[in-house]
Amino acid sequence: MPDAGRFSDVGEQGSRAVMEAAAVLERELSAGLADAKAASARLTGEHRVDQEEFDRLVGRVSENTHQLIDAVSERVLANTAGDVSEQAQRLAANAHDVLDLLLGLSALAPGLANQGLRSAFGPQGDPRAADGAGAHGGDGAAPDERPRG
Protein backbone atom coordinates (compact mmCIF):
# COMPACT_ATOMS: atom_id res chain seq x y z
CA MET A 1 0.00 0.00 0.00
CA PRO A 2 1.95 3.06 -1.23
CA ASP A 3 0.06 5.78 0.69
CA ALA A 4 0.29 4.20 4.14
CA GLY A 5 3.43 6.19 5.08
CA ARG A 6 1.87 9.54 4.23
CA PHE A 7 -1.17 8.91 6.40
CA SER A 8 0.81 7.67 9.40
CA ASP A 9 2.89 10.88 9.34
CA VAL A 10 -0.30 12.94 9.22
CA GLY A 11 -1.60 11.07 12.26
CA GLU A 12 1.55 11.80 14.27
CA GLN A 13 1.62 15.46 13.23
CA GLY A 14 -2.07 15.79 13.93
CA SER A 15 -1.65 14.30 17.40
CA ARG A 16 1.07 16.81 18.29
CA ALA A 17 -1.01 19.68 16.92
CA VAL A 18 -4.07 18.57 18.87
CA MET A 19 -2.09 18.34 22.12
CA GLU A 20 -0.59 21.82 21.65
CA ALA A 21 -3.94 23.34 20.70
CA ALA A 22 -5.70 21.59 23.59
CA ALA A 23 -3.26 23.18 26.05
CA VAL A 24 -4.09 26.63 24.66
CA LEU A 25 -7.82 25.88 24.71
CA GLU A 26 -7.60 24.70 28.31
CA ARG A 27 -6.06 28.04 29.33
CA GLU A 28 -8.80 29.94 27.47
CA LEU A 29 -11.56 27.85 29.01
CA SER A 30 -10.14 28.45 32.48
CA ALA A 31 -10.37 32.18 31.81
CA GLY A 32 -14.09 31.78 31.05
CA LEU A 33 -14.80 29.81 34.20
CA ALA A 34 -15.90 32.92 36.12
CA ASP A 35 -18.56 33.65 33.47
CA ALA A 36 -19.79 30.08 33.63
CA LYS A 37 -19.99 30.19 37.43
CA ALA A 38 -21.99 33.45 37.29
CA ALA A 39 -24.44 31.89 34.82
CA SER A 40 -24.78 28.83 37.04
CA ALA A 41 -25.40 30.97 40.12
CA ARG A 42 -28.11 32.92 38.29
CA LEU A 43 -29.74 29.69 37.17
CA THR A 44 -29.86 28.20 40.66
CA GLY A 45 -30.55 31.45 42.52
CA GLU A 46 -32.95 33.26 40.18
CA HIS A 47 -34.21 30.28 38.15
CA ARG A 48 -33.44 31.95 34.84
CA VAL A 49 -30.84 32.06 32.10
CA ASP A 50 -29.60 35.52 31.15
CA GLN A 51 -29.49 35.76 27.33
CA GLU A 52 -26.55 38.20 27.24
CA GLU A 53 -24.53 36.15 29.72
CA PHE A 54 -25.24 32.99 27.71
CA ASP A 55 -24.30 34.73 24.46
CA ARG A 56 -20.95 35.81 25.97
CA LEU A 57 -20.20 32.22 26.97
CA VAL A 58 -21.19 30.89 23.54
CA GLY A 59 -19.12 33.61 21.88
CA ARG A 60 -16.06 32.61 23.89
CA VAL A 61 -16.56 28.92 23.07
CA SER A 62 -17.12 29.79 19.41
CA GLU A 63 -14.00 31.91 19.10
CA ASN A 64 -11.78 29.46 20.97
CA THR A 65 -13.04 26.41 19.12
CA HIS A 66 -12.72 28.04 15.69
CA GLN A 67 -9.16 28.99 16.62
CA LEU A 68 -8.49 25.42 17.74
CA ILE A 69 -9.78 24.04 14.43
CA ASP A 70 -7.63 26.53 12.53
CA ALA A 71 -4.50 25.77 14.56
CA VAL A 72 -4.81 22.01 14.12
CA SER A 73 -5.66 22.43 10.44
CA GLU A 74 -2.66 24.68 9.82
CA ARG A 75 -0.30 22.24 11.53
CA VAL A 76 -1.63 19.28 9.56
CA LEU A 77 -1.68 21.18 6.25
CA ALA A 78 1.89 22.43 6.73
CA ASN A 79 3.16 18.89 6.27
CA THR A 80 0.77 17.49 3.68
CA ALA A 81 0.18 17.80 -0.04
CA GLY A 82 -2.13 16.55 -2.75
CA ASP A 83 -5.16 14.51 -1.84
CA VAL A 84 -4.35 14.44 1.87
CA SER A 85 -4.14 18.23 1.94
CA GLU A 86 -7.45 18.60 0.11
CA GLN A 87 -9.11 16.14 2.47
CA ALA A 88 -7.73 17.96 5.51
CA GLN A 89 -9.02 21.30 4.16
CA ARG A 90 -12.49 19.83 3.63
CA LEU A 91 -12.45 18.33 7.12
CA ALA A 92 -11.52 21.71 8.65
CA ALA A 93 -14.26 23.51 6.67
CA ASN A 94 -16.80 20.89 7.76
CA ALA A 95 -15.69 21.21 11.38
CA HIS A 96 -16.25 24.99 11.24
CA ASP A 97 -19.69 24.46 9.67
CA VAL A 98 -20.75 21.87 12.27
CA LEU A 99 -19.57 24.12 15.09
CA ASP A 100 -21.53 27.07 13.67
CA LEU A 101 -24.64 24.92 13.32
CA LEU A 102 -24.46 23.60 16.88
CA LEU A 103 -23.74 26.98 18.42
CA GLY A 104 -26.49 28.54 16.32
CA LEU A 105 -28.94 26.00 17.69
CA SER A 106 -27.71 26.71 21.20
CA ALA A 107 -29.05 30.27 20.85
CA LEU A 108 -32.49 28.75 21.44
CA ALA A 109 -31.46 27.34 24.82
CA PRO A 110 -31.99 30.41 27.07
CA GLY A 111 -35.52 31.04 25.82
CA LEU A 112 -36.51 27.40 26.11
CA ALA A 113 -34.87 27.07 29.51
CA ASN A 114 -36.53 30.21 30.83
CA GLN A 115 -39.92 29.06 29.60
CA GLY A 116 -39.50 25.74 31.40
CA LEU A 117 -38.15 27.42 34.52
CA ARG A 118 -41.13 29.82 34.64
CA SER A 119 -43.45 26.84 34.32
CA ALA A 120 -41.69 25.05 37.15
CA PHE A 121 -40.97 27.97 39.51
CA GLY A 122 -43.37 30.72 38.40
CA PRO A 123 -42.49 34.24 37.26
CA GLN A 124 -41.25 35.40 40.69
CA GLY A 125 -37.67 34.56 39.73
CA ASP A 126 -37.93 36.68 36.57
CA PRO A 127 -37.14 40.35 37.33
CA ARG A 128 -38.82 41.42 34.09
CA ALA A 129 -42.19 40.25 35.42
CA ALA A 130 -42.00 42.91 38.17
CA ASP A 131 -41.28 45.82 35.83
CA GLY A 132 -44.16 45.07 33.46
CA ALA A 133 -41.97 43.83 30.61
CA GLY A 134 -43.70 40.47 30.69
CA ALA A 135 -42.33 37.04 31.28
CA HIS A 136 -41.50 36.43 27.63
CA GLY A 137 -39.70 39.68 26.77
CA GLY A 138 -36.06 39.47 25.79
CA ASP A 139 -35.84 35.69 25.56
CA GLY A 140 -35.78 35.60 21.77
CA ALA A 141 -32.72 34.17 20.14
CA ALA A 142 -30.47 36.72 18.50
CA PRO A 143 -29.02 35.89 15.10
CA ASP A 144 -25.63 34.22 15.21
CA GLU A 145 -23.12 36.99 14.52
CA ARG A 146 -20.09 35.35 16.09
CA PRO A 147 -16.77 35.63 14.32
CA ARG A 148 -15.69 32.64 12.35
CA GLY A 149 -12.02 31.73 12.49
Side-chain angles (χ1 to χ4, degrees):
M1 181 180 264
D3 290 333
R6 283 192 318 180
F7 288 107
S8 65
D9 288 345
V10 169
E12 290 175 26
Q13 294 161 0
S15 294
R16 282 193 301 273
V18 168
M19 294 300 291
E20 291 170 10
V24 171
L25 182 61
E26 184 177 357
R27 286 191 300 270
E28 288 295 320
L29 291 175
S30 294
L33 192 56
D35 289 338
K37 285 182 179 180
S40 177
R42 183 176 318 285
L43 180 61
T44 57
E46 298 177 21
H47 304 294
R48 71 180 186 92
V49 178
D50 183 88
Q51 183 74 47
E52 289 180 18
E53 203 168 53
F54 184 84
D55 288 345
R56 278 194 305 275
L57 287 169
V58 170
R60 181 184 296 270
V61 169
S62 176
E63 182 179 340
N64 290 338
T65 308
H66 279 300
Q67 289 176 4
L68 174 64
I69 293 167
D70 288 340
V72 171
S73 175
E74 287 171 15
R75 287 290 301 255
V76 170
L77 289 172
N79 297 302
T80 59
D83 291 343
V84 175
S85 177
E86 289 175 23
Q87 203 167 21
Q89 288 173 337
R90 282 194 305 273
L91 179 62
N94 289 340
H96 281 293
D97 290 344
V98 167
L99 177 62
D100 289 338
L101 174 67
L102 292 174
L103 293 177
L105 288 173
S106 77
L108 299 172
L112 295 171
N114 285 334
Q115 184 177 8
L117 289 165
R118 279 191 301 273
S119 294
F121 296 102
Q124 68 275 11
D126 190 343
R128 290 166 297 172
D131 68 8
H136 296 286
D139 284 345
D144 187 15
E145 297 178 15
R146 293 176 191 90
R148 182 165 175 212

